[in-house]
Amino acid sequence: MSSDELWSIGELAERAGATVKTVRFYSDRGLLPEAGRSSGGHRRYGPEALDRLRLIRSLRALDLPVPEVERVLDRDEALEEVVSGQLREVNSQLAALRWREASLLLIRDCAPGERADRLRLLGAVALPPDTAALARFWRRMLPVRLPARLVTTVLDSVVPRPPEEPSPAQVLAFARLHELVSDPRLGSPEFRPAPPLPAGEYRPTVLYEGLAEAYDLAASSTAVHGEAAVHGEATVHGEAAVHGETAVHGETAVHGEALDCFIAAYAQALGSPDTPAFRRRLVGLLARHDGPVIHRYWKLATGLFAPGEPVLGALHHHLSVALHTQVEARAV
C-alpha cells in the first residue's frame, strides 16, 4: 500500500466513527498497528488498524477494561477467559442489586418503630453478602484435629449460600444470622456453643464421618416417605418444622436405618457399645450440645437454604427427637 493510500489519525478516526483523542490514546498504548510515517513523521494507518480499532470499540462497548482488551488483543484464546471473568463480575453486581432491592423493601414495609434496628442489622452486612462470618463460627466449633476434607464437607452442609433473588424476609434472616455469629460473647465459655461430645473423649473423624452417613440416610428417608420438612420452608427446634401439612414432632417416625446409623456414629466415636444405657446417655449429650445459640442459628438459617436442599439442622433435630421418643417409649 502506497503512502497515498494510508490514513492519518484524523482520517482513521473518521472512518471508525471515533474521536481523534480516542485513536491517539489506543495508538499511544501500542494497540493500533502503524503502517508507516508521513514525510513529516506523522503516523499513518491502513485497513488493519481500522479493523483493530473496530474490535477494540466492540470490546469496550461490553465495558471491558482497557487492560482486559489488551489481553484479548495479545492472545485470541484470552477472550473466553476475559468474558467469563466479566460475567462473574456482572452476576455479582446483579446479586448486590437484588439484595439491595429486598433490603429497601424490608425497610419500606416494616413498622416505623422497627426501622432503626433493621437499618443497624443491614448496615453490618456487605452487598452482596458473603458467608465468611458463618464459616468462622463453625470452624471455631469444629475439632482442631478434624481433617480438612471433613471440615469442607461440614461447612458446605451448615453454611447456607445467600439466595440469588432474596425476599425481604430472607434478607432479615441473613442479617440476624450474621449478627448472631459475629457476637463477641461467643468467645466466652458461658456463651460458646458446646461441642458435640465432651472434648478429648472421642474420635472426631469417626463421629463426623458417621453423622454424614446418617444425615444422608435421613434425607433420603424423608424425601421418599414425605415424613419431615428438611428444607427452606421448615423451622426447627420446638416450633414444629413444617412442610406442607407434615409436622416434625416426636410422633413422626424416622427410618430405622438412619436412626441406628446416627446413634452408631456417637457410639463408635466414644468407643462405647450401642446399648439402651448408652442411648439414654446420648439423649443428655445431644440436649447439652443443642443450646440456645445453635437453636437460633438453625431457626434463622433454615429459610436461606434452597428449596429441596437438605438442611442439616432439621435432619439432626429430627433424629434427636426420634431418639428421645424411642428412649422414653422403652422406659415406660
Side-chain angles (χ1 to χ4, degrees):
M1 178 177 292
S2 66
S3 59
D4 294 336
E5 296 174 301
L6 298 179
W7 309 315
S8 66
I9 283 184
E11 291 169 333
L12 176 60
E14 183 178 1
R15 288 174 180 270
T19 64
V20 171
K21 182 179 180 180
T22 296
V23 175
R24 182 171 287 111
F25 173 79
Y26 292 128
S27 185
D28 288 344
R29 292 185 71 99
L31 301 182
L32 298 178
E34 296 180 19
R37 293 268 179 166
S38 68
S39 57
H42 298 292
R43 301 166 183 169
R44 290 292 183 263
Y45 304 92
E48 184 181 357
L50 179 59
D51 291 341
R52 176 67 69 89
L53 182 56
R54 286 171 174 164
L55 174 59
I56 292 171
R57 298 192 71 203
S58 295
L59 295 171
R60 291 289 290 144
L62 296 174
D63 208 25
L64 265 65
V66 173
E68 297 292 81
V69 171
E70 291 175 334
R71 284 183 60 200
V72 172
L73 296 178
D74 287 341
R75 297 187 299 112
D76 290 339
E77 61 271 21
L79 178 59
E80 184 174 349
E81 299 173 10
V82 169
V83 168
S84 296
Q86 290 298 301
L87 282 173
R88 287 192 295 272
E89 184 174 332
V90 168
N91 287 335
S92 177
Q93 293 169 351
L94 288 174
L97 287 173
R98 294 186 188 108
W99 276 79
R100 181 184 175 194
E101 178 186 35
S103 299
L104 290 169
L105 291 172
L106 179 66
I107 298 301
R108 185 195 69 181
D109 297 338
C110 73
E114 297 177 328
R115 285 176 179 159
D117 184 60
R118 292 191 175 185
L119 284 169
R120 177 186 61 79
L121 287 169
L122 296 176
V125 179
L127 293 179
D130 64 56
T131 57
L134 278 63
R136 285 195 299 271
F137 168 79
W138 284 102
R139 286 183 183 278
R140 288 197 301 267
M141 294 179 59
L142 294 174
V144 295
R145 303 187 306 276
L146 201 64
R149 60 179 177 81
L150 278 179
V151 172
T152 299
T153 298
V154 172
L155 293 181
D156 287 345
S157 301
V158 299
V159 175
R161 292 180 295 276
E164 293 184 0
E165 298 186 13
S167 66
Q170 287 176 317
V171 167
L172 181 59
F174 190 93
R176 285 176 171 164
L177 188 63
H178 185 275
E179 179 186 48
L180 175 69
V181 302
S182 303
D183 193 322
R185 291 178 296 172
L186 289 176
S188 60
E190 66 274 13
F191 199 76
R192 186 185 305 120
L197 286 176
E201 296 182 15
Y202 73 106
R203 294 176 292 170
T205 301
V206 173
L207 175 63
Y208 283 91
E209 286 179 341
L211 288 179
E213 182 180 354
Y215 295 146
D216 286 343
L217 289 170
S220 299
S221 175
T222 53
V224 171
H225 300 293
E227 295 167 347
V230 291
H231 57 73
E233 298 178 9
T235 58
V236 295
H237 305 300
E239 294 192 359
V242 179
H243 173 50
E245 299 178 355
T246 306
V248 179
H249 297 295
E251 67 268 26
T252 302
V254 174
H255 193 286
E257 185 181 5
L259 180 57
D260 288 344
C261 184
F262 179 72
I263 297 165
Y266 285 96
Q268 291 169 10
L270 285 165
S272 172
D274 179 5
T275 63
F278 175 79
R279 293 193 176 206
R280 288 193 298 272
R281 179 192 174 201
L282 183 56
V283 168
L285 289 172
L286 293 175
R288 175 176 174 270
H289 170 61
D290 204 16
V293 174
I294 298 299
H295 277 201
R296 182 153 178 79
Y297 181 94
W298 286 114
K299 181 179 177 181
L300 294 170
T302 298
L304 296 170
F305 287 88
E309 183 179 3
V311 180
L312 186 147
L315 293 172
H316 183 89
H317 177 69
H318 190 29
L319 290 162
S320 298
V321 168
L323 171 63
H324 189 272
T325 301
Q326 183 189 87
V327 168
E328 284 192 336
R330 291 178 177 177
V332 174

